Amino acid sequence: MKRTGKRSTAFKKNSERGAMLMELMIAMLVLATGLGALTTLIAACMVTDNRNSKDTSATLLAQKVIEELSAQNTNSTNAVTLTDCAGNTWTIPSTQGAAAPTGQGATLATSAASPYYGGIDFSQSIGTVPAGFSMQYVDCSQNGAQTTYDVRWNVMSITANSTRLITASARQLGSVRDGLHYAIPVTLRAVGGS
């Protein structure tokens, strides 16, 4: 009986030969698949983080224009000057605005079918925007990379010499390396008065 027991143990060991190697290969395949998916996820997160950073900068530029105009008395003739990191100087003139529905400055989207209805119409050529109502502001990051933003605004008089509706929009110009970048304009509106 002792011999039979030894034979069955030996037979059992022979049938499991290579099983450890097979388990290891399957585990490595599962690990490689998981790491590949994780790498793709991290790359997508980095792209989204960069896009959100650019959208935040565009929002801050539009907000800056609105705040500078809102801080001015509607009857003031003083202009505000902004300087970007490339040394370009941009002037934001104080204005009372013009009557609705067109206002004064960059053209507003007036078609109710437009997704930008009531906002700045970016199909208008930058060269046709009245002087003092647009800028191509250059923002510099800490690593020296520059991003240019197309910033435009419109001022509409609500009450003569008293209150005005200020609409400012900004979007990133250019494209990233793969050319598949499209920046949706950020539009802010505020009512300012004297």
Side-chain angles (χ1 to χ4, degrees), residues 5-91:
K6 287 182 181 180
R7 283 184 185 170
S8 66
T9 305
F11 180 73
K12 191 174 185 181
K13 284 183 181 180
N14 286 337
S15 68
E16 292 181 5
R17 188 175 292 186
M20 187 80 140
L21 181 61
M22 214 41 183
E23 290 171 357
L24 182 62
M25 288 175 61
I26 290 171
M28 287 177 59
L29 178 66
V30 169
L31 181 64
T33 303
L35 287 176
L38 187 62
T39 302
T40 304
L41 179 64
I42 289 172
C45 288
M46 289 171 56
V47 168
T48 301
D49 182 55
N50 186 40
R51 186 177 4 185
N52 289 342
S53 171
K54 302 300 182 194
D55 285 347
T56 299
S57 294
T59 303
L60 291 172
L61 284 168
Q63 183 178 358
K64 177 72 172 168
V65 169
I66 287 177
E67 287 178 358
E68 293 295 343
L69 284 168
S70 294
Q72 298 265 340
N73 186 300
T74 54
N75 296 315
S76 174
T77 57
N78 297 331
V80 175
T81 303
L82 299 176
T83 304
D84 61 21
C85 73
N88 302 317
T89 302
W90 304 99
T91 303

Side-chain angles (χ1 to χ4, degrees), residues 111-126:
S111 170
S114 170
Y116 309 114
Y117 179 62
I120 301 297
D121 182 5
F122 277 95
S123 66
Q124 178 186 16
S125 168
I126 190 77

Side-chain angles (χ1 to χ4, degrees), residues 96-104 108 154-158 163-166:
Q96 293 180 8
T102 57
Q104 181 182 10
L108 295 173
N154 181 290
V155 182
M156 190 180 303
S157 177
I158 297 174
T163 55
R164 56 195 169 179
L165 174 65
I166 304 164

